[in-house]
Amino acid sequence: MATASSLLSEEKFLCSVCLDVFTEPVSTPCGHNFCRPCIHKYWDSSDVCQCPLCNRTFSPRPELHVNTFVSELAAEFKTQVQVKGSTLEPQLPETEDVLCDFCSEIKKKAVKSCLMCLSSFCKVHLEPHQRVAGLKSHTLLDPVKNLDDRMCKTHNKITELYCRTDQVCVCALCLKTDHKGHNVVSLEEEYEAVMAKKDAMIANIKKMIQSRSKKVVEIETSVDVGQKEAEKEKDASVQVFTDLIRSIQRSQAEVVEMIEERHRATKLKAEGFLTELKTEIAELESRRNQLEQLSQSEDHLQFVQSFQTLCSPVNKDWSNTGVHSDLCFEALRGAMTRLKERVDELVKAEIKMKRMRQHAVDLTFDPDTAFCSLVISQDGKQVVDRNIDQKVPDNPKRFEMCSEVLAKEGFTTGKFYYEVQVTGKTEWVVGLVKESVNRKKNIPLLVKNGYWTIGLDEGLYKAYTKPNVHLTLKEELQKVGVFVDYNKGSVSFYNADSKSHIYSHTGYKFTEKLYPYFGFQGDSAPFIITPVPQTH
């Protein structure tokens, strides 16, 4: 069975008052259909109760009921339109040729449409509009298809006006009904107003296109960068595991060789025992045979003399002799388990370090911030405290109370990593400070004062918080790695040689530029900013 949308055109399901698909359609006594809210509103705004289409008057005002048949068809049609509309692109105005309505046989292309005649004319049939006085006053425009759409569905009049309040085209009679008191202007005036906005709208659309095109490039670039980073990460991980596998294979070969060597020694020892035991067994078998033969002899003297010799004791005691494996398999398995756990830790540390080192930055010490006793190398990579005040220029960035210095490079976003050598230093502080940190007073190295640091003081490693956190390290620090995630608000410290984690300041919201910080505590050994090993 054909659907409602295939049997009837769209206009059959449109209320002539609201020009939309029927909602609660009702039928007037004259047989026309309207939305119940629309017809009630129409009658409420008029002194006469009449049909908007045929103008038939009703007295008294009829009681209307929903037309269930039309309601079902309208609902079915609305569903069909929604399904169809969801798969179609918005349509532009008709671009096909409009044909002359008065050509009888071969229809020619129309050159003008008349809003008064509601017809389109070719050049020949347009001639009366250019000649006859009564027709010259008609409104002509470029050919338009479906001129009926230019008619007001309520009053059957040309829609020559535009209601800015409701943003719809209306006719002159609409000003007395639904659009009474609204902001209404002529179509020409609205056209001019819209055209005046056209250039700005086009410019805005171009701007949006450029913005979105830029975002497309940004996302595509991000995907490409992500792909490259993923490849680098994959290669680095493969290299880590390749090196680890080779190391494990070497260890495996060494363990197997050790087991085999110990087994050979045990076997050789056992073979010595077996040879000795078999020799003794053969000797004892010989004595037994001799005793059995002598027992058959009637020479008592020989028997007695030989018996003493044959019964002489065998001195070696074999009761506690045995071959015991000294391979200590249980201990070996325990050691292998601990090795596996350690390997897992090392792999994680190695991979994490490779990730952090991908964010390595090139730092140099900033002489404008250095305390007056500090001397910076020519390449800007080393700084040492000479403990002799030097004459230095006044600078608002300079630390004036303690032997402190910052890096030239500051950061306001993203991730970055650097390494600093502290070999030979007996007291030191390393970390990050915010740009506005007080450089003219001796203030505690606390987070609330803008310091995120760790250090070595009186032989103890500590994180400078309130209270200070004492750090237990397995080995003396030679090189410190510092990793900062500005957006996540974390500053983490690592042993750059063993790749082990030391301490992290986390959960902060950075709002200023951050600078790498280096503080002396009395010794003369230098800070050295070292190149970060490249990951491959």
Side-chain angles (χ1 to χ4, degrees):
M1 179 180 290
T3 63
S5 60
S6 64
L7 290 172
L8 297 173
S9 62
E10 179 179 357
E11 65 182 35
K12 300 298 183 181
F13 297 96
L14 299 182
C15 171
S16 58
V17 177
C18 66
L19 303 180
D20 202 352
V21 178
F22 288 125
T23 301
E24 296 184 78
V26 295
S27 299
T28 58
C30 58
H32 294 120
N33 297 309
F34 306 92
C35 298
R36 181 158 61 180
C38 295
I39 191 64
H40 283 172
K41 182 178 179 182
Y42 181 78
W43 284 345
D44 290 342
S45 63
S46 175
D47 296 332
V48 180
C49 182
Q50 64 181 14
C51 174
L53 290 180
C54 65
N55 295 328
R56 179 177 171 182
T57 302
F58 309 110
S59 182
R61 179 170 172 171
E63 182 179 355
L64 304 179
H65 301 281
V66 174
N67 188 323
T68 56
F69 178 70
V70 176
S71 178
E72 290 173 0
L73 284 179
E76 177 69 19
F77 177 78
K78 187 180 295 185
T79 301
Q80 295 289 338
V81 169
Q82 289 174 346
V83 171
K84 182 178 179 182
S86 65
T87 61
L88 297 178
E89 294 292 332
Q91 297 296 309
L92 295 174
E94 291 286 350
T95 56
E96 61 183 88
D97 292 341
V98 178
L99 301 179
C100 176
D101 292 324
F102 290 89
C103 290
S104 57
E105 295 181 0
I106 301 176
K107 291 195 174 286
K108 296 182 180 179
K109 182 178 177 182
V111 294
K112 291 291 181 181
S113 294
C114 178
L115 290 181
M116 304 297 289
C117 302
L118 293 181
S119 300
S120 297
F121 302 91
C122 65
K123 188 174 182 180
V124 173
H125 291 109
L126 182 64
E127 187 270 335
H129 278 77
Q130 299 169 337
R131 174 174 48 82
V132 179
L135 297 177
K136 284 184 178 182
S137 61
H138 287 193
T139 303
L140 299 176
L141 66 163
D142 291 335
V144 177
K145 194 174 182 67
N146 298 328
L147 281 168
D148 289 342
D149 293 342
R150 302 298 179 101
M151 297 292 291
C152 174
K153 298 297 189 294
T154 303
H155 305 103
N156 203 27
K157 299 285 187 181
I158 291 294
T159 53
E160 299 177 306
L161 305 172
Y162 184 79
C163 176
R164 288 177 171 172
T165 303
D166 294 334
Q167 297 184 346
V168 294
C169 294
V170 298
C171 70
L173 294 180
C174 290
L175 299 181
K176 301 178 181 180
T177 56
D178 295 341
H179 300 274
K180 187 176 182 179
H182 289 187
N183 181 11
V184 178
V185 296
S186 67
L187 275 176
E188 288 77 13
E189 183 177 345
E190 182 63 19
Y191 172 78
E192 293 297 333
V194 171
M195 285 298 292
K197 299 177 183 177
K198 180 199 66 172
D199 292 340
M201 179 59 68
I202 292 176
N204 187 46
I205 291 174
K206 287 182 178 179
K207 187 176 180 180
M208 289 191 290
I209 291 173
Q210 291 173 352
S211 173
R212 283 153 179 76
S213 298
K214 184 178 179 181
K215 181 59 68 173
V216 167
V217 173
E218 179 183 326
I219 293 174
E220 290 176 344
T221 302
S222 177
V223 170
D224 291 340
V225 170
Q227 177 67 27
K228 292 177 181 177
E229 289 182 352
E231 291 296 331
K232 288 174 64 178
E233 183 73 16
K234 183 173 67 175
D235 292 343
S237 300
V238 169
Q239 186 61 47
V240 169
F241 280 101
T242 299
D243 295 342
L244 179 61
I245 289 170
R246 289 173 181 169
S247 177
I248 292 175
Q249 287 174 338
R250 286 194 298 269
S251 298
Q252 179 187 30
E254 292 172 0
V255 170
V256 170
E257 178 62 28
M258 179 191 70
I259 294 173
E260 291 179 348
E261 180 62 32
R262 291 188 177 183
H263 176 64
R264 284 194 295 269
T266 302
K267 183 179 179 182
L268 186 61
K269 185 177 180 181
E271 289 174 348
F273 288 154
L274 290 173
T275 299
E276 191 174 350
L277 281 168
K278 288 177 181 179
T279 300
E280 289 187 5
I281 290 171
E283 182 181 347
L284 291 172
E285 287 284 353
S286 176
R287 289 187 184 188
R288 186 191 65 182
N289 292 334
Q290 290 180 42
L291 283 172
E292 288 178 351
Q293 290 177 1
L294 285 173
S295 66
Q296 303 296 326
S297 174
E298 296 180 356
D299 188 344
H300 295 168
L301 177 62
Q302 183 183 9
F303 179 80
V304 172
Q305 291 176 340
S306 299
F307 183 82
Q308 296 298 325
T309 303
L310 293 174
C311 291
S312 60
V314 179
N315 294 326
K316 188 164 185 176
D317 182 10
W318 290 90
S319 60
N320 294 323
T321 302
V323 179
H324 304 286
S325 173
D326 60 349
L327 297 179
C328 302
F329 289 112
E330 288 298 328
L332 183 61
R333 280 193 287 269
M336 295 298 287
T337 299
R338 290 191 295 274
L339 174 63
K340 180 180 179 301
E341 293 173 352
R342 180 57 179 158
V343 165
D344 289 343
E345 292 177 4
L346 291 174
V347 168
K348 291 178 181 178
E350 183 71 29
I351 292 176
K352 188 170 185 178
M353 181 59 71
K354 285 183 179 292
R355 288 176 178 170
M356 291 189 297
R357 283 175 169 169
Q358 290 177 355
H359 300 282
V361 291
D362 185 19
L363 300 182
T364 52
F365 292 109
D366 185 3
D368 290 339
T369 65
F371 184 68
C372 60
S373 65
L374 300 182
V375 177
I376 298 174
S377 63
Q378 189 172 357
D379 63 359
K381 298 297 185 180
Q382 297 189 37
V383 61
V384 66
D385 190 353
R386 296 301 186 193
N387 293 314
I388 300 175
D389 290 352
Q390 306 170 92
K391 189 174 182 179
V392 293
D394 289 335
N395 195 309
K397 298 193 297 181
R398 190 178 306 283
F399 289 95
E400 295 186 356
M401 295 301 297
C402 299
S403 298
E404 304 166 284
V405 65
L406 303 182
K408 287 182 180 180
E409 297 74 21
F411 304 89
T412 57
T413 188
K415 303 173 182 178
F416 59 95
Y417 174 84
Y418 61 93
E419 294 178 358
V420 56
Q421 183 175 309
V422 294
T423 303
K425 297 187 66 59
T426 56
E427 294 182 324
W428 51 264
V429 180
V430 167
L432 273 291
V433 298
K434 62 183 181 181
E435 187 174 28
S436 63
V437 70
N438 192 322
R439 310 181 190 198
K440 308 304 178 183
K441 295 182 180 180
N442 186 5
I443 60 175
L445 302 176
L446 298 177
V447 171
K448 69 175 184 177
N449 295 329
Y451 291 83
W452 292 269
T453 58
I454 66 167
L456 175 63
D457 184 18
E458 297 181 349
L460 297 175
Y461 293 102
K462 59 183 66 176
Y464 291 98
T465 61
K466 190 175 183 180
N468 291 338
V469 177
H470 291 281
L471 307 173
T472 302
L473 305 183
K474 295 180 179 179
E475 59 276 318
E476 183 179 349
L477 273 175
Q478 304 295 324
K479 188 186 297 182
V480 181
V482 184
F483 178 72
V484 182
D485 189 331
Y486 190 101
N487 299 334
K488 287 188 176 181
S490 66
V491 180
S492 300
F493 301 89
Y494 294 83
N495 183 328
D497 294 319
S498 67
K499 303 177 178 63
S500 57
H501 176 254
I502 300 174
Y503 185 80
S504 290
H505 295 279
T506 60
Y508 297 97
K509 183 176 179 60
F510 299 134
T511 57
E512 296 183 29
K513 183 177 285 189
L514 299 181
Y515 287 89
Y517 167 86
F518 310 87
F520 288 82
Q521 299 288 340
D523 63 54
S524 59
F527 279 118
I528 302 175
I529 296 174
T530 59
V532 175
Q534 296 298 310
T535 57
H536 300 286

